[in-house]
Amino acid sequence: MTSTATADEAPLVLIVDDDEEVRTAIEELMLSVGMEAHGFGSTRDLLESSLLQQASCLVLDVRMPGSSGLDLQQRLSAAGISRPIVFLTGYGDIPMSVQAMKAGAIDFLTKPVRDQTLIDAVITGVECYAKQRAHAQVIQQHVDRFATLTPRESQVMREVARGRLNKQIAFDLGITEITVKLHRSNVMKKMQASSVGELIRAWEILPEELRQSQRA
């Protein structure tokens, strides 16, 4: 049994296992608790699917013919695709589980796994991904606001975040203190910050490479 997820309705869980009975059982289990689910017989099938971008959590068999679940984890990481992963194995390989967990897996479960144990692990993954998406949206919001600043306003924001006083900023940038105050006021409005503390937090939320590019 398979179904197609829609982002507004329910989290989509993708299952990769070369055993069709296992795939079907997990899909039905996910559907029974209100999630959407879709199964694949190989990691290649998953990578060729458009559903990967919609997924909130992946359930992967560790050992499969061809590319393994661990191989997929590494490939996704290298491609910058971050998705919570729950691994399933019939072997209880401790070194393999350590490798998976160090690479960010949510859990590493041994087959046969209790339904509730798997459900709990997947729910943890779904919640983790929701937090990741929310954080990414906050970052993008601040990046978009920062993009509206003029080069001089960006410089002033950087200096304010460093704790510099208006007169110090004026001296460093070779402008008057009144001009600094005007730029500072514009920065506060554009970044939607109601206090210096909020402005500093907004600066710290910006990606490191963006902050580095503002250094004199």
Side-chain angles (χ1 to χ4, degrees), residues 62 70 85-89 92-94 96-98 100-101 105-110:
V62 170
L70 289 175
I85 297 175
V86 176
F87 281 104
L88 298 179
T89 178
D93 191 318
I94 295 177
M96 195 177 289
S97 67
V98 171
M101 298 303 287
I106 294 296
D107 213 335
F108 195 95
L109 306 175
T110 303

Side-chain angles (χ1 to χ4, degrees), residues 5 10 26 57 66 79 85-86 110-111 117 123 132 137 139 144 157 165 178 181 194 199 212:
I26 296 175
C57 185
I85 297 175
V86 176
T110 303
K111 297 177 183 176
T117 299
I123 288 175
Q132 289 176 3
Q137 289 171 353
I139 292 174
D144 291 343
M157 180 176 179
L165 301 174
I178 292 177
K181 290 179 180 179
S194 59
L199 190 65
Q212 290 286 352

Side-chain angles (χ1 to χ4, degrees), residues 139-195:
I139 292 174
Q140 188 58 52
Q141 188 178 59
H142 282 80
V143 169
D144 291 343
R145 292 173 183 170
F146 187 76
T148 67
L149 303 184
T150 66
R152 182 65 83 190
E153 288 168 352
S154 298
Q155 291 178 318
V156 170
M157 180 176 179
R158 177 198 65 206
E159 296 304 315
V160 171
R162 290 178 57 202
R164 307 282 286 173
L165 301 174
N166 287 342
K167 61 181 180 181
Q168 294 173 315
I169 298 174
F171 178 81
D172 291 342
L173 299 183
I175 56 180
T176 67
E177 190 172 345
I178 292 177
T179 301
V180 171
K181 290 179 180 179
L182 289 173
H183 285 314
R184 183 166 174 165
S185 176
N186 288 337
V187 170
M188 296 287 284
K189 291 176 183 176
K190 291 181 179 181
M191 295 303 296
Q192 297 184 28
S194 59
S195 68

Side-chain angles (χ1 to χ4, degrees), residues 158 208 210-216:
R158 177 198 65 206
E208 178 66 22
L210 188 57
R211 285 183 282 137
Q212 290 286 352
S213 69
Q214 300 304 315
R215 290 188 175 180

Side-chain angles (χ1 to χ4, degrees), residues 4 41 86 135 150 205:
T4 302
V86 176
H135 183 60
T150 66
I205 286 173

Side-chain angles (χ1 to χ4, degrees), residues 12 14 50-58 60 73 76-77 80-86 103-106 125 128-129 132-133:
L12 173 63
L14 301 183
S50 61
L51 291 178
L52 180 57
Q53 295 300 323
Q54 303 172 33
S56 294
C57 185
L58 308 181
L60 307 180
Q73 182 187 37
L76 293 178
S77 177
I81 300 174
S82 176
R83 291 296 185 281
I85 297 175
V86 176
I106 294 296
C128 179
Y129 184 58
Q132 289 176 3
R133 288 188 63 186

